[in-house]
Amino acid sequence: EGPKEVRAGDTFNVALKVTSAQPVRASPLQLGFDAKLLEPVDVRAGGFFADGMFSYRVNRAGSIFVGASGKGAVATDAEIVVVTFRPIRPGATAELTVSSLLLQGAAGRAIVHDRPAAFRTTIVQ
């Protein structure tokens, strides 16, 4: 989730949300973005992993690696991660993709999920 339109130079947030009928204990993931259009400013745990362990690494060439784990609660439209970006160049459409996502249940088993759609926003002057 995020805004459909952003102004070059102004920061904005994008949240990756998940809904799961099963308890989610951990979620390693990788995000991809166009480094010519977006500059990552902040990466933080969403509400779902706020009381758990959270780490990340930003590759300025266009990817963000996240490791998050928590108590194994059922996710109901919960934010896993929130990324703050600064749009660099107006007149373009920027895209943020989920390159890889693994939802792990309480026993460490993978939870089957649909591939998240890419987030797109238009950068204006």
Side-chain angles (χ1 to χ4, degrees):
E1 284 186 357
K4 292 183 187 284
E5 188 176 277
V6 295
R7 187 168 305 283
D10 293 348
T11 59
F12 69 98
N13 294 328
V14 177
L16 175 62
K17 290 188 171 187
V18 68
T19 299
S20 174
Q22 300 178 45
V24 177
R25 184 181 59 85
S27 180
L29 65 106
Q30 179 179 347
L31 304 172
F33 63 94
D34 186 339
K36 295 175 186 165
L37 299 176
L38 297 174
E39 174 190 6
V41 176
D42 187 37
V43 180
R44 64 185 182 280
F48 188 71
F49 289 119
D51 295 334
M53 293 177 37
F54 183 84
S55 64
Y56 70 92
R57 181 173 47 99
V58 174
N59 176 338
R60 296 286 175 189
S63 59
I64 300 171
F65 303 91
V66 174
S69 63
K71 299 174 184 173
V74 173
T76 306
D77 199 28
E79 296 175 341
I80 290 181
V81 63
V82 178
V83 182
T84 304
F85 285 104
R86 178 174 293 114
I88 299 169
R89 195 175 75 216
T93 298
E95 183 175 274
L96 176 66
T97 59
V98 179
S99 306
S100 67
L101 171 64
L102 176 63
L103 299 178
Q104 294 178 328
R109 291 194 177 119
I111 297 172
V112 177
H113 59 82
D114 294 331
R115 183 169 177 87
F119 165 77
R120 291 179 183 86
T121 189
T122 302
I123 305 171
V124 298
Q125 286 255 26

